[in-house]
Structure formats: C-alpha cells, structure tokens
Amino acid sequence: MKQSADVINNIVSVLQESLPTDKDFIALHEPSFQGNEWNYVKDCLDTGWVSSVGKYVDRFEEMLQEYTGVKRAVAVVNGTAALHICLKLVGVERNDEVLLPALTFIATANAISYCEAVPHFVDSCYETLGLDPIKLGDYLQDIAEVKDGACYNKQTGRRIKAVLPMHTFGHPVDLDTLVEVCDRFNLELIEDAAESLGSFYKGRHTGNWGRVSALSFNGNKITTTGGGGAILTNDDSLGQLAKHLTTTAKVPHKWEFVHDHIGYNYRMPNLNAALGCAQLEMLHQFVQEKRALASVYQKAFSPIDEVSFFIEPKFATSNYWLNVIRVSTEWSFLRDEILQTTNDLGLMTRPVWRLLCDLPIYTSAPKMELTVARDLEKTIINIPSSSYLGAAYAKA
C-alpha cells in the first residue's frame, strides 16, 4: 500500500519538474511587467495627471469594453467596491437576501453586508468549483415563493433579491442554467468575475450574463492595476449611473459642487489605469501562457491516482488564473502536510478559502446543505500559476 510520504513526494516531484529550477522561491501568482507599463506610468508622472482625471482611465475602460464585449465598463478602486456598486445598481436593500456560494473569497459576502443585506450561502459543484445552479433551483423550489413579482424566503420572510455567483479561479459557472433559475424566481444576476478576466463561456466573455458584473485588478490577478476593479454592464443607463455613483455623484459643472445622490469616492486613479492599459495589451499573451502551463500540469499529474488536476468545464475556455489540484477524499488528511512540505521547499501553495458560513461574522446567515463545498474545502490546493511559468511551454 502506498505510504503518505510517497504521495507527497510524487506531488513535489511533479511541481519541481514542471517549474523553473533556477529560483529559490516560486510564488503562487505574481504580476508580469513586460510591455508599456514604465512608459505609461512615466507619462502620468511627467504630465502630472496621476489622480482621478486623465486619459488613461477612459482608455482603460474602452479597452475593457472591447475585450469583454460589454457596452460599458467603469473603472473603480478595487473589486470589492465594484461588487458593492453592482448590488446597489440592481436595487439590493437593507434586509434583502443575496444568494452566493459559501466557497468564495470574503469580498463577495462583505459587499452584500455593506448594503446591510443578508448573505445566503449555497452549494458549489464539482464541474466548475462555483455555484451549482441545478441545486440552487431545487433549493429555491422548496424554500422560496414568488409573489407580486418578487422572490421571498418562506422561512425568514425576507425578499431574496439577487444571485451573486463567483467564477472560481477563472472557471465560469454554468451561466445558461443559472439564468433560467433567475428568470424562474425573478432574481437579479450579478457576476463576480473578479478572477475570470480572459475566460469565456460558450465563446462569450464572462460578465455578459449578469445585469451587472465586477472585475478585480489586484496585484495577484491575471492583469493588475496595483489595486483596482471595474463594473461591467450591457445596460447603458446602469453604466452611466455606475460612473456617477463612483465619482461622488457630482453633477457636472465648471465650479459648483452639487451632488444628487449619496455617492462614493471609488474612482480609479489615472496612475493605476495607465498600468492597467499596458497590462491589457499583454492579456492575450498572459492567457496563452497560463493555458500552456495548465496543459503541462494536467499531463504531469495524470499518473498520480491520489490527486487530480482540475480541468476547465466543457462549456468554457478558462484563463486558469489559479491552477488547482484536488487531493482524493481518501487522502484529504494529507492536505496540510502537502501545503507545509511544498512551502518549505519554496513552492508556494495554498488551500482554498474557509467556507464563509463558518466564519464567526456569518455563522447566523441562512444556508443550504453544503456537501460539495465542504468536500472542496478539504481537498483543494492551489499551485504556482504565474503567467511567466508557462512562457516556455507556450512557445514550444
């Protein structure tokens, strides 16, 4: 019978053989600056346009619109701010419930709390690692009712206003099925596409199914603005309102200070947008390199029965933002030892997030049975995924 040490050694061997040997430490995901970053940022410094006004913000938004195919993109300070405004744009109010996966980054739930709404946690599926729309539909059939054009939780009496799926590690959820569930129960769909820039569902970029969607450009994302995010929408009026709310809701005037909503100082500085423009110019290359790395990992891990490399859903072309291996349930007790061993060797790995419903701040929130999410929590390990790691493979 295979011993624990054998399983761990096999995983380490695959990583060491797949990754560069000339580095003492390989990060989980680090930014790559190979293009015009220095030139564009220097232009901001030379001209003095470093803050909330400047040509790069408009250019960055236009580039996002062209790449993703949405009608309107609004650049903001981070992905959490983007999510917050998305929720407000679709009318999420105090005491509303918003459905989201229990297995997601904390920002997804926090943005709901900013609206004084209630996170309602649902299960994930093995095919996408994201929200399971089939289970969600069955669950809502039991606990929800639609009356007067709105969906209500029969158990709490609260309105269920929206569904907020997250495309986990860049892999799109089953959007067609989720749209059908939203239509059936009169729910707004907001895509948390923070991790999925460069990912396509049935040939169309993520962010086009939700009435509004959110992107992130944190330092560890596939493209970065240092810190930043964006709101995407195909609704021109919502796009205009998003821009207005995120720029302190100031009514345009040469000198008067008139604000007609409670606005937010969420606008992205020109300096960050300049960095983002250069990064978007490289996005196609980054995706190619990351997909090439994923292909190498897939082949290299295939002989190891105790772990499996996660492959994009059949309906998707994913950016493979963070690569995933799953330890089999039988060997899941080794997860922490695998993490310890790889990190001690300078190979940065990490577990998936703790289920949000188990955090003290959200233990009282409503939730469905979370069988798959709990299994994924115990078995997922993220492995090094920086785009440069796949550069040589992409050229081969």
Side-chain angles (χ1 to χ4, degrees), residues 158-396:
R158 292 187 291 250
R159 181 175 68 164
I160 306 175
K161 179 61 178 177
V163 180
L164 183 52
M166 195 269 285
H167 302 304
T168 310
F169 306 129
H171 300 293
V173 301
D174 182 355
L175 286 161
D176 285 341
T177 305
L178 185 55
V179 167
E180 185 278 323
V181 172
C182 289
D183 289 344
R184 194 183 347 148
F185 290 96
N186 285 6
L187 299 170
E188 297 281 5
L189 174 60
I190 304 165
E191 291 176 66
D192 182 348
E195 301 175 354
S196 67
L197 182 64
S199 296
F200 293 79
Y201 174 84
K202 296 184 178 180
R204 193 179 186 192
H205 199 280
T206 54
N208 276 281
W209 278 258
R211 192 172 170 206
V212 285
S213 305
L215 293 174
S216 171
F217 305 104
N218 189 34
N220 66 348
K221 296 300 190 292
I222 188 168
T223 60
T224 183
T225 57
I231 299 160
L232 306 181
T233 184
N234 286 307
D235 186 321
D236 286 326
S237 61
L238 281 184
Q240 184 175 350
L241 181 58
K243 188 71 169 181
H244 187 57
L245 291 178
T246 57
T247 53
T248 70
K250 184 179 182 296
V251 178
H253 193 279
K254 286 184 178 180
W255 58 78
E256 292 288 355
F257 289 93
V258 178
H259 303 261
D260 58 358
H261 289 75
I262 295 175
Y264 301 85
N265 192 10
Y266 282 174
R267 50 195 165 191
M268 176 183 284
N270 195 51
L271 196 64
N272 298 82
L275 184 63
C277 288
Q279 288 274 285
L280 286 181
E281 291 173 353
M282 301 295 295
L283 178 54
H284 179 70
Q285 177 180 320
F286 292 160
V287 173
Q288 282 187 320
E289 291 172 349
K290 291 172 75 62
R291 289 182 60 81
L293 177 63
S295 294
V296 169
Y297 276 146
Q298 180 183 346
K299 182 177 180 180
F301 277 107
S302 60
I304 305 178
D305 295 333
E306 296 77 19
V307 299
S308 59
F309 179 79
F310 182 81
I311 304 169
E312 64 193 0
K314 61 182 182 296
F315 46 66
T317 304
S318 299
N319 66 5
Y320 283 95
W321 171 58
L322 286 186
N323 288 298
V324 172
I325 58 172
R326 287 193 57 226
V327 186
S328 67
T329 303
E330 178 187 357
W331 291 89
S332 61
F333 68 92
L334 282 181
R335 190 201 69 170
D336 287 355
E337 191 173 349
I338 294 168
L339 291 165
Q340 186 69 58
T341 301
T342 50
N343 280 279
D344 286 347
L345 291 170
L347 301 168
M348 187 176 178
T349 58
R350 78 172 187 195
V352 75
W353 316 281
R354 183 172 298 184
L355 295 193
L356 298 187
C357 58
D358 293 338
L359 298 177
I361 51 177
Y362 289 124
T363 52
S364 62
K367 62 181 181 293
M368 67 182 293
E369 186 179 357
L370 302 169
T371 308
V372 174
R374 294 201 179 280
D375 186 45
L376 293 174
E377 181 189 28
K378 293 186 299 182
T379 59
I380 283 178
I381 295 175
N382 290 123
I383 56 178
S385 303
S386 302
S387 60
Y388 82 91
L389 298 172
Y393 299 126
K395 295 174 182 176

Side-chain angles (χ1 to χ4, degrees), residues 115-132:
C115 298
E116 297 185 89
V118 180
H120 187 150
F121 298 108
V122 300
D123 205 8
S124 301
C125 69
Y126 290 117
E127 184 182 13
T128 69
L129 306 180
L131 185 149
D132 187 329

